[in-house]
Amino acid sequence: ASEQSVAQLEEEKKHLEFMASVKKYDDNQEHEENLEKSRSDPVVELFPEDESEERQNMSPTPANQFANHANAGYEIPARLRTLHNLVIQYASQGRYEVAVPLCKQALEDLEKTSGHDHPDVATMLNILALVYRDQNKYKEAANLLNDALAIREKTLGENHPAVAATLNNLAVLYGKRGKYKDAEPLCKRALEIRENVLGKNHPDVAKQLNNLALLCQNQTKYEEVEIYYQRALEIYEMKLGPDDPNVAKTKNNLASCYLKQGKYKEAEVLYKQVLTRAHEREFGTINGENKPIWQVAEEREENKLKNRENTPYGEYGGWHKAAKVDSPTVTVTLKNLGALYRRQGKYEAADTLEDCALRSKKEALDLAKQSKVAKILGVPEGIGGGGGGRQKMKDSDKDDDESVRRTPKQ
């Protein structure tokens, strides 16, 4: 019994050391990334809001798909698009002393020329609310969003997509403050509007289902959570395809729900699906010679149990370094499945996945630093042997800017 106790303590110590080493890279990465990412709120990562939708609606590029279905015909003026981009630029730099007065001045001018009950005023209220939210001024942000909601309902109609976006922003705000019961009906109403306007199988409906599932999960309504996540997963796979990053993210979300209920086998299946698909996208069909990392990990566990010597791990360490996948989601999946293996006493398998996750994180950080140095020195990306790898990483990072914050973490 004493020997077993000592062995258990040693395994726990190794796991703590691993987590500490991961944190070291997290800290380095936070220091290296731009100010907007270093200020990212973990609650925002878990609970995406419609800020991106607001930005897309006001972007000079064509509006997102749901705008095509809107029959109210409201289009945000160019002057507000320009002002919005300027405010976001200042806010992302943490220069709220410039961003807030800009919003307030624009709001005052709009109310003088158009009156308070005008869609443009609601848009500016939304922008100011998001700036306040970034400053953790939740009460002020909630007041502005409620005002914007009332204006949009009055001027655009209660079933307009812009109303759904404001409802969702308000639900996110309540969720960040732990007011899940207040947020849930707002989220459900936003879902109903989107289903009516866009159809029940639109990707924006799936996004709303994800938000609603998270709210229910925080209230331990696991049966509802499973239904919402499974439906969101079906929509993403049907409309965006099995390789869309949202598919892997939603599978991670659903696995998290399973873990909270002790459904470890179901969670394990989902984690393996994510890693298998990532492997197939980069290395082709799975066979006896071409195995996904989780299968390698389990073989190493089996060899350890049979007192067989494992082959050096180095050849597997960076298996998905160049994988054309949403890398942060895959790294999170590696860590989650590793933690699940450890819970099951499969320590060799857990070490294998955790080491892979750590190496991948370090490689991503090293590549980012190399790219920065190259830019400072004025060296073209393609020069110096590693150009191809860096270009792949940049492509992945570009996708991650829009999606990493939505990745749940265990």
Side-chain angles (χ1 to χ4, degrees):
S2 298
E3 288 175 356
Q4 287 178 349
S5 178
V6 170
Q8 180 67 27
L9 287 172
E10 287 177 351
E11 289 298 338
E12 290 176 0
K13 179 173 176 289
K14 284 172 65 178
H15 183 58
L16 289 172
E17 288 173 348
F18 165 73
M19 296 305 292
S21 62
V22 170
K23 187 176 187 302
K24 179 182 71 174
Y25 290 114
D26 283 338
D27 293 341
N28 288 341
Q29 195 166 14
E30 281 184 20
H31 181 71
E32 293 294 331
E33 286 177 347
N34 61 42
L35 185 59
E36 183 180 9
K37 287 187 180 179
S38 68
R39 285 170 35 248
S40 66
D41 189 325
V43 183
V44 177
E45 293 179 14
L46 292 174
F47 203 147
E49 72 292 299
D50 267 353
E51 179 180 2
S52 60
E53 246 177 22
E54 293 288 338
R55 295 186 189 185
Q56 286 173 10
N57 284 343
M58 293 191 295
S59 166
T61 57
N64 59 5
Q65 295 181 30
F66 78 67
N68 297 328
H69 295 267
N71 48 24
Y74 170 62
E75 184 178 347
I76 296 168
R79 68 183 188 282
L80 282 190
R81 291 202 297 267
T82 303
L83 178 62
H84 172 269
N85 292 335
L86 192 59
V87 168
I88 292 302
Q89 180 182 340
Y90 284 127
S92 67
Q93 297 169 355
R95 299 179 62 186
Y96 299 113
E97 74 282 359
V98 180
V100 172
L102 262 179
C103 282
K104 288 184 174 179
Q105 184 60 53
L107 191 57
E108 186 179 334
D109 293 344
L110 283 169
E111 289 182 325
K112 284 180 181 178
T113 56
S114 306
H116 182 70
D117 294 336
H118 192 278
D120 292 354
V121 173
T123 297
M124 188 50 60
L125 287 169
N126 249 296
I127 296 171
L128 183 54
L130 295 174
V131 174
Y132 278 146
R133 185 212 63 195
D134 286 347
Q135 296 177 278
N136 298 326
K137 295 181 178 179
Y138 298 136
K139 185 177 180 181
E140 294 91 334
N143 290 336
L144 292 174
L145 286 173
N146 275 307
D147 195 5
L149 178 61
I151 294 171
R152 282 180 165 176
E153 287 178 330
K154 183 177 180 180
T155 57
L156 302 176
E158 293 187 352
N159 294 316
H160 193 280
V163 172
T166 308
L167 284 166
N168 192 51
N169 283 339
L170 197 52
V172 170
L173 203 59
Y174 286 149
K176 285 168 68 68
R177 298 171 69 185
K179 297 183 176 181
Y180 305 120
K181 289 184 179 179
D182 295 331
E184 187 179 343
L186 298 174
C187 206
K188 284 184 174 178
R189 189 180 158 206
L191 175 63
E192 184 180 356
I193 292 172
R194 285 177 166 161
E195 285 178 332
N196 290 336
V197 175
L198 309 174
K200 293 184 180 292
N201 294 321
H202 193 279
D204 284 353
V205 171
K207 182 175 73 172
Q208 196 69 54
L209 286 164
N210 260 301
N211 285 0
L212 184 54
L214 182 58
L215 278 175
C216 290
Q217 185 161 311
N218 283 313
Q219 300 174 73
T220 65
K221 298 179 179 179
Y222 296 124
E223 287 186 9
E224 293 179 47
V225 174
E226 286 186 27
I227 292 171
Y228 295 141
Y229 278 144
Q230 285 168 353
R231 190 179 156 207
L233 186 57
E234 288 173 4
I235 293 172
Y236 282 137
E237 288 180 328
M238 176 173 56
K239 293 295 183 179
L240 304 180
D243 293 328
D244 186 82
N246 287 298
V247 172
K249 294 176 197 304
T250 306
K251 284 184 177 181
N252 265 281
N253 290 347
L254 181 55
S256 170
C257 174
Y258 285 146
L259 288 176
K260 289 181 182 295
Q261 301 175 79
K263 297 181 178 180
Y264 303 127
K265 190 62 180 176
E266 291 88 338
E268 184 177 335
V269 168
L270 289 173
Y271 290 142
K272 287 179 177 178
Q273 285 177 2
V274 172
L275 296 178
T276 298
R277 190 61 185 165
H279 186 94
E280 288 176 335
R281 289 179 65 184
E282 180 62 21
F283 303 111
T285 306
I286 304 295
N287 55 45
E289 301 297 323
N290 184 25
K291 302 172 184 177
I293 188 66
W294 63 263
Q295 194 171 338
V296 172
E298 292 190 351
E299 286 181 359
R300 290 173 65 82
E301 180 69 34
E302 187 178 347
N303 288 341
K304 184 180 179 183
L305 292 175
K306 294 179 179 179
N307 294 319
R308 294 176 184 168
E309 186 176 347
N310 273 316
T311 55
Y313 175 60
E315 61 186 288
Y316 305 114
W319 74 275
H320 90 294
K321 176 177 65 175
K324 303 179 182 69
V325 294
D326 184 22
S327 298
T329 302
V330 174
T331 303
V332 167
T333 307
L334 286 167
K335 290 159 69 176
N336 289 347
L337 183 55
L340 185 55
Y341 278 149
R342 194 169 294 281
R343 187 194 295 260
Q344 296 169 342
K346 298 177 180 178
Y347 300 118
E348 182 68 23
D351 288 343
T352 302
L353 294 189
E354 288 170 351
D355 185 46
C356 182
L358 182 60
R359 292 185 188 209
S360 300
K361 201 172 191 68
K362 183 179 182 301
E363 285 161 358
L365 182 61
D366 290 344
L367 286 170
K369 286 181 178 178
Q370 289 172 17
S371 181
K372 270 190 178 180
V373 171
K375 285 181 181 178
I376 292 171
L377 298 177
V379 179
E381 285 280 337
I383 296 177
R390 282 199 297 272
Q391 185 61 47
K392 285 183 180 178
M393 184 58 67
K394 288 187 74 176
D395 289 343
S396 177
D397 287 345
K398 182 169 64 176
D399 292 337
D400 295 340
D401 288 342
E402 299 174 2
S403 58
V404 165
R405 296 175 189 169
R406 294 170 170 80
T407 304
K409 297 182 180 179
Q410 298 301 319

